[in-house]
């Protein structure tokens, strides 16, 4: 049985779900947030220590203003309403990506990270305005600026995922088989599952089925 320490998820399919069931993409985002809560709970039940959720990519700025604003409003409200609860559950929240949002959201994110910093049960990494390519370029630049030798260990220290072990399992919902600029360096040996269901329809049962399959895989890491 493979140990499972870190699950990363590309939460895709909100917009299509919203159009299909409620005639608006934004209602899909709202519904998707319920899945986030379910999956956090189930991650704790499975005693997994890290959960990384791709919530907004560096390319998602191309979307219409109204959708972007809605997404950030949703996140703001989520933090305002739920951060105490997450804290009580001993969950640490960390943002990966560049925090260049409204002053209000930046402050809320910083506050949430600080408040939950010492929590130990589960670390939830929220990938927000995250893009793997810009993360890598930024890391290389800083590494050279500080005159460090370029090697794996040093590069890891300059990534936004510093101190976070690489994901063991990556799940992408929404019936699309691509990585969309997510953790390209970190998933070198990650097991990848593409799930047909749209994110708002994804549930604990689907999650546990994937985890069960993951546990049975023979992971070689180049060995035999
Ligand atoms: C993923 O769902 C969530 C974000 C990118 C914020 P989408 O909004 O991409 O949903 P689809 O893929 O258009 O259905
Ligand atoms: C990836 O989904 C980003 C997130 C889930 C936040 P997208 O829907 O943005 O990916 P593409 O554009 O279809 O590749
Ligand atoms: Mg999508």
């Amino acid at each position: 049985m493979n140990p499972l320490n870190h699950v990363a998820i590309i939460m895709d399919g909100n917009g299509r779900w919203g159009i299909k069931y409620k005639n608006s993409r934004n209602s899909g985002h709202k519904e998707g947030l319920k899945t986030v809560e379910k999956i956090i709970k189930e991650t704790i039940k499975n005693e997994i220590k890290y959960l990384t959720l791709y919530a907004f990519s560096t390319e998602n700025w191309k979307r219409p203003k109204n959708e972007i604003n809605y997404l950030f409003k949703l996140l703001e409200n989520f933090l305002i309403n739920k951060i105490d609860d997450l804290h009580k559950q001993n969950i640490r929240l960390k943002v990966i990506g560049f925090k260049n949002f409204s002053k209000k959201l930046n402050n809320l994110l910083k506050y949430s990270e600080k408040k939950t910093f010492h929590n130990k049960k589960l670390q939830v990494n929220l990938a927000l305005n995250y893009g793997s390519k810009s993360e890598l370029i930024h890391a290389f630049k800083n590494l050279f600026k500080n005159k460090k030798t370029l090697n794996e260990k040093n590069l890891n220290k300059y990534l936004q995922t510093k101190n976070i072990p690489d994901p063991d399992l990556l799940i992408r919902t929404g019936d699309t088989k691509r990585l969309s600029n997510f953790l390209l360096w970190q998933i070198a040996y990650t097991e990848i599952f593409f799930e047909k269901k749209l994110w708002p329809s994804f549930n604990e049962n689907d999650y546990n089925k994937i985890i069960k399959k993951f546990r049975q895989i023979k992971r070689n890491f180049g060995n035999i």
Side-chain angles (χ1 to χ4, degrees):
M1 283 255 283
N2 292 316
L4 182 50
N5 197 32
H6 183 176
V7 178
I9 307 184
I10 302 176
M11 311 183 288
D12 196 23
N14 287 349
R16 278 164 287 164
W17 188 97
I19 294 291
K20 189 169 170 197
Y21 296 104
K22 312 251 172 174
N23 210 17
S24 93
R25 289 184 52 85
N26 285 347
S27 59
H29 293 309
K30 191 171 171 199
E31 194 69 19
L33 202 51
K34 294 185 192 161
T35 309
V36 170
E37 294 191 64
K38 280 186 215 162
I39 294 306
I40 289 177
K41 284 211 180 81
E42 207 55 29
T43 304
I44 292 177
K45 274 196 194 152
N46 278 284
E47 297 184 350
I48 297 160
K49 287 292 171 196
Y50 297 87
L51 175 67
T52 301
L53 300 172
Y54 203 7
F56 195 85
S57 75
T58 46
E59 289 73 32
N60 286 146
W61 294 108
K62 293 174 189 163
R63 295 188 178 203
K65 270 262 164 356
N66 105 65
E67 181 166 338
I68 296 174
N69 290 342
Y70 186 86
L71 275 166
F72 292 140
K73 198 80 212 151
L74 210 58
L75 176 61
E76 257 177 41
N77 290 337
F78 177 79
L79 292 173
I80 291 168
N81 294 321
K82 302 283 172 157
I83 197 63
D84 285 343
D85 186 39
L86 294 179
H87 183 53
K88 274 190 202 124
Q89 293 180 66
N90 203 8
I91 295 170
R92 176 179 173 191
L93 189 81
K94 184 184 161 56
V95 174
I96 61 168
F98 294 100
K99 287 192 209 76
N100 64 349
F101 313 106
S102 69
K103 205 168 168 192
K104 185 176 177 195
L105 182 55
N106 285 341
N107 285 340
L108 260 170
L109 289 166
K110 277 186 223 153
Y111 169 82
S112 306
E113 285 186 304
K114 205 169 157 199
K115 185 178 174 83
T116 61
F117 186 80
H118 295 290
N119 291 345
K120 291 278 180 289
K121 188 94 195 156
L122 169 70
Q123 177 168 331
V124 176
N125 306 306
L126 203 56
L128 262 189
N129 189 20
Y130 173 86
S132 195
K133 287 190 175 182
S134 75
E135 177 192 34
L136 281 163
I137 287 169
H138 194 77
F140 281 120
K141 276 190 184 159
N142 282 327
L143 193 128
F144 296 138
K145 199 168 83 190
N146 292 310
K147 300 192 168 46
K148 298 280 191 263
T149 314
L150 176 55
N151 58 33
E152 245 182 74
K153 202 173 152 217
N154 282 343
L155 183 65
N156 282 332
K157 284 187 205 155
Y158 285 88
L159 293 173
Q160 287 156 353
T161 51
K162 178 185 169 204
N163 295 330
I164 301 170
D166 287 344
D168 300 295
L169 169 60
L170 170 68
I171 301 169
R172 181 178 186 137
T173 59
D175 201 19
T176 305
K177 294 188 179 69
R178 57 176 171 252
L179 296 172
S180 305
N181 203 10
F182 190 46
L183 302 175
L184 302 178
W185 167 267
Q186 295 87 340
I187 59 167
Y189 270 105
T190 300
E191 304 299 333
I192 303 179
F193 284 73
F194 293 105
E195 160 70 43
K196 281 211 165 64
K197 280 195 183 179
L198 305 172
W199 177 248
S201 306
F202 189 69
N203 61 34
E204 296 89 339
N205 198 20
D206 304 316
Y207 189 38
N208 284 319
K209 269 192 209 155
I210 293 175
I211 291 174
K212 199 170 165 198
K213 280 192 196 153
F214 163 85
R215 299 265 190 209
Q216 311 302 328
I217 294 171
K218 182 170 177 284
R219 301 186 78 190
N220 291 341
F221 299 100
N223 208 331
I224 51 168

